[in-house]
Amino acid sequence: MSDHPMYALSEEHQAIREAVRAICDAKVAPFAAEVDEEARYPREAAEALRAADFHAPHVPEAYGGAGADALATVLVIEEIARADVSASLIPAVNKLGSLPIMIGGSEDLKKKYLGRLAAGEGFSYCLSEPDAGSDAANQKTRAVRDGDGWILNGTKRWISNAGESEFYTVLATTDPDARSKGISAFVVEKTDPGVSFGAPEKKLGIKGSPTREVYLDNVRIPGDRIIGEEGKGFEYAMQTLDHTRVTIAAQAVGVAQGALDYALGYAQERQQFGRSIADFQGLQFLLADMGMKVEAARQLTYAAAGRSERGDSDLTFFGAAAKCFASDVAMEVTTNAVQVLGGYGYTRDYPVERMMRDAKITQIYEGTNQVQRIVMARQLLAGVQSTL
């Protein structure tokens, strides 16, 4: 990938966008309202994405995956989110859950679990707890050695796609006195004895992606299920988020684009005072700001994706910046799309109110935008941000 992927997408990347859009038009968008209304998993989307290898496009070819680079993965997630944010959590969560293995896992662990992920089994990420939200190092879940294995006990909260995924990357304290340096990462399987799930949360948006607590009650796992080195789990978790924040930015860009597309179409059709409302300057300025901000968010997201692919030293700044900026834009643009539609925008007969509700989570998960600003400020003060 070139140093400046933001200036032009390659033919291959354009082709990926078109392929995903075709699938979304056929199997994602037509079910989005029903998925939201019934708060059910988007099975049609899940099956279509699996069939086309877009459910976890980041898995390297060596493990049976599509081997998509970071920008291609962003394009996949952006296009799915344009149709239905809930469905876009399938590739996003699969990357989030499996990236610690790609960063720190043994070759055996990679072969086993990345292979099964590529074959269609889902991967969730268990970092958050009732008392460990923004303070993610405050892990109460414990992992204790037991012969050649480990026994895990604890509660994980806000786990996306819990119950649907087969595999879970679980962060747990192995040395309570060492705070973040005493946290390790493990792979837990849904079928391990002692694993259970809470009731799905009743959420404002992304209702098609189940969010549940994960309970670990004396879950015994073999020793080879530790990811990388003992005590390195939190480090792997933070490195993971540097990369996956770019995928949240992609969701935000996608839902903002979907809302803008709908608002543009509506504004040209809706007649008031004997003419199309798109003829009124007040509305034109609103649409102009929406388009401008979506494009700015997109370029920042693609720039961050390039850094994710290369592992650049300023990825931490760019990942946080892309996630924070794009999600703030998504909330503004989806809210304005509702405004463009007026009273119709406020009803479930039109998709923009769902997009507005779905957009909100992008400002919250994988680090609130307040946390992103802390991350960015630290990077700036450390002199890490590049001057291009």
Side-chain angles (χ1 to χ4, degrees):
M1 189 179 289
S2 73
D3 280 347
H4 297 286
M6 63 285 272
Y7 299 129
L9 290 181
S10 68
E11 281 185 19
E12 185 184 0
H13 283 125
Q14 287 280 19
I16 288 168
R17 185 193 291 287
E18 287 163 19
V20 180
R21 184 165 296 188
I23 288 169
C24 289
D25 287 349
K27 299 287 182 161
V28 180
F31 300 98
E34 180 187 314
V35 162
D36 174 68
E37 196 74 36
E38 298 175 6
R40 69 166 177 85
Y41 191 64
R43 304 236 168 259
E44 299 86 357
E47 286 166 19
L49 294 173
R50 270 199 298 268
D53 243 0
F54 289 134
H55 67 290
H58 69 284
V59 177
E61 290 176 359
Y63 307 105
D69 63 23
L71 180 56
T73 302
V74 154
L75 293 171
V76 170
I77 291 168
E78 178 191 341
E79 281 302 319
I80 302 169
R82 181 174 168 266
D84 181 11
V85 181
S86 288
S88 77
L89 271 94
I90 295 170
V93 170
N94 280 337
K95 181 166 182 175
L96 176 64
S98 61
L99 211 56
I101 292 177
M102 289 175 64
I103 290 169
S106 67
E107 192 55 38
D108 285 346
L109 215 57
K110 289 179 187 173
K111 274 190 186 138
K112 180 175 181 183
Y113 289 108
L114 296 178
R116 289 178 68 178
L117 173 58
E121 296 179 88
F123 226 120
S124 287
Y125 181 76
C126 299
L127 174 64
S128 296
E129 295 182 1
D131 295 318
S134 293
D135 181 11
N138 186 29
Q139 296 282 311
K140 303 282 198 298
T141 297
R142 288 291 312 274
V144 179
R145 282 188 185 277
D146 177 54
D148 58 358
W150 297 86
I151 291 178
L152 277 64
N153 279 285
T155 298
K156 294 295 179 177
R157 183 167 284 175
W158 313 126
I159 309 307
S160 296
N161 291 350
E164 293 291 340
S165 295
E166 286 299 320
F167 310 123
Y168 299 80
T169 289
V170 174
L171 280 294
T173 297
T174 45
D175 179 359
D177 299 325
R179 196 163 156 79
S180 67
K181 303 274 194 237
I183 295 169
S184 305
F186 303 87
V187 178
V188 170
E189 300 189 5
K190 179 175 160 181
T191 53
D192 288 335
V195 175
S196 62
F197 304 97
E201 302 288 349
K202 294 180 172 72
K203 304 191 300 290
L204 175 73
I206 59 164
K207 293 183 179 185
S209 175
T211 306
R212 304 168 74 174
E213 287 191 326
V214 177
Y215 305 122
L216 306 164
D217 182 18
N218 287 324
V219 177
R220 192 183 192 285
I221 59 171
D224 62 4
R225 295 244 214 109
I226 190 168
I227 298 172
E229 295 176 44
E230 189 177 340
K232 285 278 187 75
F234 194 73
E235 190 181 311
Y236 301 147
M238 294 303 103
Q239 286 177 28
T240 292
L241 293 174
D242 280 344
H243 292 278
T244 57
R245 280 173 180 148
V246 186
T247 69
I248 306 306
Q251 288 183 325
V253 170
V255 71
Q257 185 67 59
L260 174 58
D261 291 347
Y262 201 89
L264 287 168
Y266 180 89
Q268 291 170 80
E269 288 172 15
R270 173 70 169 166
Q271 300 275 315
Q272 290 288 274
F273 307 100
R275 58 206 275 218
S276 159
I277 63 170
D279 289 344
F280 295 104
Q281 191 181 61
L283 201 69
Q284 289 178 355
F285 281 10
L286 188 64
L287 293 167
D289 278 343
M290 291 163 76
M292 173 176 68
K293 288 175 181 177
V294 170
E295 200 49 55
R298 177 177 285 117
Q299 300 304 337
L300 181 54
T301 300
Y302 292 1
R307 284 160 175 82
S308 172
E309 182 62 27
R310 296 185 299 269
D312 289 355
S313 61
D314 56 0
L315 168 62
T316 301
F317 175 85
F318 270 83
K323 190 272 192 196
C324 184
F325 185 79
S327 60
D328 284 351
V329 164
M331 200 65 233
E332 180 184 337
V333 167
T334 55
T335 302
N336 285 341
V338 171
Q339 191 71 18
V340 171
L341 269 70
Y344 294 112
Y346 205 68
T347 71
R348 290 195 187 174
D349 297 329
Y350 294 82
V352 288
E353 64 83 33
R354 181 188 78 242
M355 293 170 175
M356 178 180 167
R357 288 184 289 107
D358 286 349
K360 182 61 197 172
I361 192 61
T362 62
Q363 295 181 307
I364 297 170
Y365 63 8
E366 290 203 32
T368 65
N369 283 2
Q370 286 70 30
V371 165
Q372 306 306 328
R373 288 176 169 91
I374 292 169
V375 170
M376 283 185 273
R378 285 177 180 167
Q379 292 292 302
L380 289 170
L381 291 167
V384 173
Q385 187 212 11
S386 80
T387 54
L388 293 176

